[in-house]
Amino acid sequence: MDTPIALAAVVLLIALGMSLIHRLNAQHDARIAAHHFSDPYPAIARPPGHSPHKRTGQAPSHRSTGTWP
């Protein structure tokens, strides 16, 4: 008689744990959806002096000499 009661208790605890995890995931997803991520600041995304465009009139930073290395 103890085995069915123990199994029922284990199944009930597993179901309660699954329900709790599901609710916490839904709450976390709602928090993430409510937060509006913005573009990073220009100083953080690209430090000063590191522009995406190549400057003309300067020597290239990497020269291929044809030898190793």
Side-chain angles (χ1 to χ4, degrees), residues 3-69:
T3 305
I5 294 173
L7 285 176
V10 168
V11 169
L12 180 66
L13 287 174
I14 290 173
L16 287 174
M18 286 174 47
S19 174
L20 177 66
I21 290 172
H22 180 71
R23 289 181 63 184
L24 288 173
N25 269 342
Q27 183 181 15
H28 188 255
D29 289 343
R31 251 188 228 153
I32 289 174
H35 184 75
H36 299 290
F37 294 98
S38 63
D39 290 335
Y41 292 111
I44 294 173
R46 191 178 313 120
H50 291 87
S51 66
H53 304 293
K54 294 273 186 191
R55 294 183 199 146
T56 57
Q58 289 185 346
S61 61
H62 175 71
R63 292 181 287 169
S64 65
T65 59
T67 61
W68 178 259

